[in-house]
Amino acid sequence: MKFLLFVILFLFFTPAKLFPQANKIISIKITNNGAAEKEPFDLYIYADSTLKFKFLNSNTDTIFKISGKPGIVYHAVISRLGETVPIYNWKFDTLKVNFTKQLPLDPVALHLKTVVINGQRQTYKRGDTLVIPVEDIRTRPHSSATELIDKIPGFSAGTNGNITALGKKVQKIRLDGAEIFGGNPRATLENIKADMLKDVEIINMDGDSGGGIELNLRLKKDRKEGWYGEVYGQQGTSERNNAGVKLNKIKPGTNFSSFFNYNNQNQQVLSPNDYLKMISSGNEIRNTLGTQKLYYDFKLEDPFDNINRVLEKLSFLEKGEHKTLSAGLNFSKTYKKISWNSYLLGNYDKANIDDISNTTRSLGEFRAEDFKRYTNRNKAFDATQETSLKWTPNDKNTISAKLILERKYLKSAQSGQLNSSLYNQSDSLINKALIFTNQLPVNSNNLLLLTGNWEHRYQKPAQKTTASAGMLLNKTIADNNYQNQLTTNADLLNNADNQVHQSNSNYNYFGTVQHSTSLSRKLLFDIRTNAMLSRSLTDRVGVNILEDKKVQPSLSLSTKNFIVQNNRITLQSFLFYKSGPLSIVAGAGALSSHWKVAANDSLFNQINKTTFLPGFYANYVFNKSKVSFRYTKEQFTPALNNLLPAVDSSMIQQVSIGNSMLSPYLSNKYEINSDVFIQGLGSVNLQVNYALTNLPITDNFNIINGGSFPERSFTQFGKAKEITGTLSYFRFNTSKSINPYVFLFYLWRKQYQLNQQVVTPLEFSAISPQAGLKINFSKEHNLNLSIQAIINNAHGTTGSSTVRYNMELKDDNKLMEGLYYKVSTKWILINTDHTLSSINPIINFNIYKYFSKLKSWQVNIGASNLLNVNMIKLLNAGITERTTASYNYLSRYVNIGVTFYPERWKK
C-alpha cells in the first residue's frame, strides 16, 4: 500500500506535454513632452525572470528594448517619492512584432530629468538550482551576510551557529563556487558583507537524499576586488562582553580571510563541525547526474555521538551559559595551473548548563520514569586544519590532493540526583530509587584524512579516467570517573565508584578507479571499482574503587584488543541516458565484504558474503520544474558501542552491554522528489522517502534482577521501516509586500523491541508544520514572522502525543538617516499529556547609530532578554522515550558597543 503511494505521486507529478518557448522583444519609449526639468524619476521593471536591457537615447526620448519570455507578466512603473504614474503590464506572447509602447509623462505632475534603471530580478530556476536575487534586500550598513540570510523567507541563522533554509540544515556554503573555511556556513557568512552579494543559490533542493543542503553566494561585479574589515567591542552589565576583529582581502584568484571573537553572550560564530559524518571514501570522485548518489559509499562512525548529546545545541535557543573563543584563517590562491586553499578553524567553549528533566521510557510490558536534576560544567575545544592542492599540467590531466587534521577535546563535570521508578503493565510500582551521581568524563579525538586524485580526459566527449586513494586515521580516547549511590527508603543498596579508560584506533585505507565513456550522444557508460580496508582496535580498562580507596580490576567493565575488521570491494557499472527533458540512470554492482569481530584469541563473529547493489534514477524536467524517482541499496555497520562486550554502568538505572554478534545490515531506500517552480508564484518542493532496513534494536534482556533496574543489550530483529516526507513552498519577490513560506515535515517509523524474549512492535510518527511571512512595509522596514509546531505521537510506547510550538518575530527598520533599530522575539510553548506550559518571550532590542560619510563608525546600545527569562524548555520525543527538560538561560543584560568598518574597493 505504501509503495503504491509512491507510484501514484510519481504519476501525478509527471507532466503530459512540454511546450517550447522563445524570446520576444518590446520597446518602451519614455517621452518628456518638452517639460521643464526638475527632479529625476525611477523606471522600475518588475518581472519574474532575468531581463536584457538595451538603451537608445535621443534629445527628447529614452527607448528601452527589453527581451523576455512568453507566459510571464511584466510591469513597467515610473515613480517619484512614492507617487506612481503610468503603469504598463504586458506578456511577450501577446505582443505584435516590433511593438513600441509610449509612456508619456504628465508635464504638470511629473518632470523627467534622468531615468534610473532598476532591474527588479526575481527568484528563478536554473537547472536544479534555485536562484534568489538579494541585491535589493536592504540591511544595515556594513552588516554581515548572516543578517541578509536572516531576511529571506524560510531562512534562519540561529545564535548556536546553525543555518537553516526551507526547513533543512545548511551543510555547506560556497562563495562564487569556492569554499572558504571549508564551507563552514556560519564562518562563511560572518566574513562576507551583505552588500557584496548579488544572488543566493540553493544548489540541491532535495538535500542530497535527505541530508543537508548547500548554498552558493554570488558576488556583485564591483565587489570582487578589494579589502574590508571590522573591529568591534561590546561591554554589558553582568559582565557580558563581545569583542573581535575581522580582516578580509579578495580579488580574482586570491582570497584571504581571518577573524577572532570572544564573547560570553551565547553567540556562536562557527557552525558545529560534523567532519566524521561528512567524510566518505568516494567524496572526491562522485559522478552524478543532478543530485543522485547511486553508488556504495562508506561513512565513518562518529565516536563523538555521546559527546554531541552532552553538548547538544538547540536549534531555537542556546541553553546554559557559554564563554566562547573562536578564530579562523583562510587563504586561497589560483595560479595559471595550480590552485591552493588552506584554512584553520579553532573554537573553545566553556559552558555551565543546569538540566532539570523528566523522561518516560518504554520497556515492553514495563515503563520507567526518571526525574533528574543535573549540573554540567563542560570545556570543549575543536580545531580543524585543511590544505588542498590542485594541479592542471595540461588540458587532459588534473592532479589534486587534500589533507585534513582535526582535534577535539571535551572535559565535563556532571553531578546531580535522579529519582527512578519502574512500573509494570498495570501501573504497579516495582522499584523506586534515589540515585546520586558524579561523573568526570574526558574525551579526545584526533583525525587525519589524506586523499589524492588523478583525472585524465580524452578527446572523445565525456570520456575520462579517474583514480584516487587515501587513508583516514582516527583515534579516540575516553576516560570517565563516576560514582553512583543508589538508595531506597534511605537505605544504601549499591555504591558504584568506578574508573574507565577506553582508547579506540580506527584505520581506513581506500582506493577507487573509474572510467566513463560516451556510447552515443544520449548514452554514457560508467564503470568503477572501490576497495576499502578498515580496522578498528579498542582497549577498555575498568576498575572498581573500594571504600579504602584500593583499586580492584573489573572484568565486566573491561575488554582487551577488541578488533572490528570490515574490508570491502565494490564493483559497479552505470548507464546514463539523457534525451531532452528525460534523464535515466541505471546501476548494478556487487559488494564483497569481509566482517570480523574478535578479542584476543576469541572470535565472536565472522561473515564473508557478496551482496548485489542495484540502483535506479529517473528525472523529468518541465518548465523549470522536475519530478524524479530514486532507488538505492546500501550497507551500514553497527556502532562500536553496540558491539563492545563490556558493561557500561555509568547509568545505574539502565546498565548496558554490547553485543558482538551484530552484523552489517542492508537498507533499501525509495524516494520520490517533485520540484515545481512557477514564475510569479514561487517554488514548491515535495520529497517522499521510504526505507526498509534491519537496524540494531534494544534488547532488555534482564528487566528484573534481584530488585534492581533493567539491563540491556542490542540485537537485530525483523524489518524496520521508515517513511519521511517534506513539503515546502517558498516565494520571494522584492516587489511584493508579503512573501510567505511553508514547510511541512512528516516521519513515520516502525521497529521492534525485545523484552525478556518477548518481541514488541513499536510505531512512532511526527509531523512538524512551519510557516512564516516576510512583510515589507517599505524598502527599509522588514518584519519576519515564523511559527513552528512539532507534534510527536508514539503508539504502544510512551503514550499520548506531545506538541512543541516555536514562534520567532524579527523586526528591523531605518528610523532616519544613519539610525536603525532591531527587535527579535522568541517564544516556546509545550503541550504534554494535555498539560500546557510555556516560558515568557525572550525579547532582544538594539539601536544602531552610524557616523562619518561612509558610515564607517557605529555605536550600538541594546538590551537582551528584557523579561529576564531564567529557564527555557525543550521537548524531545522518540520511538521509545520522551523527555521534557528545562535549562538555565542568560539573565537580562544591557550592553553598549562601538564598531569600526574599514574598507576599500577597486573601482
Side-chain angles (χ1 to χ4, degrees), residues 495-706:
N495 184 7
D497 193 355
N498 301 323
Q499 289 183 356
V500 175
H501 172 81
Q502 178 175 316
S503 64
N504 170 259
S505 299
N506 200 319
Y507 308 91
N508 303 273
Y509 306 93
F510 51 87
T512 302
V513 177
Q514 170 192 340
H515 181 74
S516 304
T517 186
S518 58
L519 303 180
S520 67
R521 292 180 61 253
K522 299 182 179 180
L523 197 61
L524 176 70
F525 176 72
D526 181 285
I527 185 170
R528 69 190 66 178
T529 181
N530 176 288
M532 166 69 70
L533 304 179
S534 177
R535 180 183 175 89
S536 173
L537 176 62
T538 304
D539 283 320
R540 178 183 172 97
V541 178
V543 299
N544 298 322
I545 302 177
L546 306 180
E547 292 184 358
D548 57 1
K549 302 302 181 182
K550 291 184 178 180
V551 175
Q552 176 181 330
S554 173
L555 295 178
S556 62
L557 298 177
S558 306
T559 185
K560 283 281 191 177
N561 296 322
F562 183 74
I563 298 173
V564 178
Q565 188 169 314
N566 190 17
N567 299 335
R568 285 146 293 176
I569 298 178
T570 308
L571 178 64
Q572 287 179 294
S573 61
F574 299 90
L575 278 176
F576 297 79
Y577 173 80
K578 182 173 178 59
S579 178
L582 179 64
S583 300
I584 296 177
V585 182
L591 167 65
S592 176
S593 60
H594 172 73
W595 172 263
K596 179 182 177 181
V597 180
N600 293 324
D601 296 329
S602 301
L603 179 62
F604 296 111
N605 192 9
Q606 182 170 332
I607 298 176
N608 296 291
K609 66 176 182 179
T610 300
T611 305
F612 176 62
L613 293 180
F616 179 80
Y617 176 82
N619 180 64
Y620 188 81
V621 179
F622 59 101
N623 296 338
K624 299 295 183 181
S625 304
K626 75 170 186 178
V627 59
S628 63
F629 171 79
R630 177 190 288 116
Y631 164 72
T632 56
K633 188 174 186 178
E634 295 181 288
Q635 184 190 68
F636 296 89
T637 55
L640 177 64
N641 289 339
N642 293 354
L643 291 166
L644 205 62
V647 172
D648 181 1
S649 58
S650 59
M651 294 178 60
I652 199 169
Q653 81 280 15
Q654 187 167 319
V655 177
S656 63
I657 183 172
N659 181 3
S660 301
M661 295 302 295
L662 298 180
S663 303
Y665 53 95
L666 296 173
S667 175
N668 293 281
K669 185 175 181 180
Y670 306 84
E671 177 184 307
I672 288 179
N673 183 65
S674 180
D675 189 1
V676 179
F677 182 79
I678 304 174
Q679 295 281 38
L681 295 180
S683 175
V684 179
N685 179 266
L686 172 67
Q687 183 176 333
V688 181
N689 295 294
Y690 172 72
L692 182 65
T693 187
N694 189 26
L695 75 167
I697 64 172
T698 302
D699 178 7
N700 296 289
F701 63 91
N702 197 352
I703 290 289
I704 306 299
N705 181 16

Side-chain angles (χ1 to χ4, degrees), residues 680-745:
L681 295 180
S683 175
V684 179
N685 179 266
L686 172 67
Q687 183 176 333
V688 181
N689 295 294
Y690 172 72
L692 182 65
T693 187
N694 189 26
L695 75 167
I697 64 172
T698 302
D699 178 7
N700 296 289
F701 63 91
N702 197 352
I703 290 289
I704 306 299
N705 181 16
S708 66
F709 286 88
E711 296 179 0
R712 67 173 185 169
S713 183
F714 304 91
T715 189
Q716 288 169 299
F717 181 89
K719 299 292 186 180
K721 302 176 182 179
E722 180 178 282
I723 294 177
T724 59
T726 59
L727 176 65
S728 64
Y729 168 71
F730 167 83
R731 188 190 76 182
F732 183 54
N733 188 327
T734 54
S735 66
K736 304 293 184 181
S737 298
I738 297 178
N739 287 285
Y741 79 91
V742 177
F743 178 78
L744 181 66
F745 172 79

Side-chain angles (χ1 to χ4, degrees), residues 135-354:
E135 53 192 345
D136 291 323
I137 298 179
R138 300 294 179 90
T139 58
R140 289 181 291 107
H142 305 288
S143 61
S144 71
T146 304
E147 182 172 329
L148 183 143
I149 287 290
D150 225 13
K151 287 177 172 287
I152 303 176
F155 286 63
S156 178
T159 57
N160 59 355
N162 284 324
I163 308 296
T164 59
L166 307 184
K168 298 181 181 181
K169 183 179 178 180
V170 176
Q171 198 72 43
K172 182 174 289 189
I173 295 182
R174 303 176 187 271
L175 182 65
D176 274 348
E179 295 180 7
I180 60 174
F181 299 115
N184 186 284
R186 192 57 178 261
T188 302
L189 292 176
E190 287 292 325
N191 286 275
I192 299 297
K193 296 177 62 173
D195 61 6
M196 296 170 58
L197 298 183
K198 174 185 177 183
D199 298 320
V200 172
E201 300 176 343
I202 302 179
I203 303 300
N204 49 339
M205 288 288 291
D206 59 354
D208 196 16
S209 301
I213 64 176
E214 293 187 10
L215 302 182
N216 183 44
L217 310 179
R218 300 291 301 275
L219 293 172
K220 298 177 181 177
K221 291 183 178 180
D222 60 348
R223 288 295 184 268
K224 293 191 175 186
E225 185 168 355
W227 68 272
Y228 57 97
E230 181 178 342
V231 182
Y232 58 95
Q234 283 185 347
Q235 177 67 48
T237 58
S238 303
E239 298 183 352
R240 297 295 172 194
N241 307 310
N242 189 358
V245 60
K246 304 175 188 177
L247 180 61
N248 299 272
K249 185 176 181 180
I250 186 172
K251 68 177 182 178
T254 304
N255 183 287
F256 173 82
S257 296
S258 62
F259 71 90
F260 171 85
N261 173 265
Y262 167 79
N263 77 86
N264 57 1
Q265 299 178 358
N266 285 14
Q267 299 292 327
Q268 300 292 334
V269 298
L270 292 178
S271 297
N273 223 350
D274 293 327
Y275 258 112
L276 292 174
K277 295 181 180 180
M278 293 166 58
I279 293 172
S280 61
S281 63
N283 62 346
E284 297 295 328
I285 55 162
R286 294 183 177 179
N287 187 354
T288 59
L289 186 63
T291 57
Q292 76 277 12
K293 184 175 64 174
L294 292 176
Y295 51 89
Y296 173 73
D297 195 8
F298 167 75
K299 291 190 177 180
L300 182 68
E301 176 204 349
D302 186 358
F304 264 65
D305 186 47
N306 292 326
I307 299 174
N308 291 334
R309 283 199 292 267
V310 173
L311 290 178
E312 179 190 11
K313 299 177 184 298
L314 300 178
S315 59
F316 193 62
L317 291 169
E318 186 80 357
K319 61 186 177 184
E321 298 183 4
H322 295 258
K323 294 181 179 179
T324 307
L325 182 67
S326 304
L329 182 66
N330 184 95
F331 179 76
S332 59
K333 179 70 175 179
T334 300
Y335 301 93
K336 292 182 178 180
K337 296 183 178 182
I338 298 177
S339 60
W340 172 45
N341 182 73
S342 184
Y343 76 88
L344 175 66
L345 285 176
N347 189 73
Y348 173 79
D349 185 81
K350 183 178 180 180
N352 296 330
I353 302 175
D354 298 327

Side-chain angles (χ1 to χ4, degrees), residues 377-381 409-413 440-443:
R377 301 294 179 258
N378 303 319
K379 296 179 181 179
F381 172 75
Y409 176 83
L410 170 66
K411 182 178 181 180
S412 299
L440 297 172
V442 179
N443 301 271

Side-chain angles (χ1 to χ4, degrees), residues 357-363 366-371 419 421 423 427 654 794 797-800 802 832-833 875-884:
S357 63
N358 189 9
T359 300
T360 300
R361 292 180 287 116
S362 169
L363 304 171
F366 301 90
R367 186 184 82 256
E369 291 189 357
D370 300 329
F371 177 79
N419 287 284
S421 304
Y423 300 87
D427 274 349
Q654 187 167 319
T797 55
T798 56
S800 61
T802 59
T832 306
D833 294 331
L875 176 65
N876 282 329
I879 198 166
T880 59
E881 66 179 46
R882 182 190 68 200
T883 299
T884 305

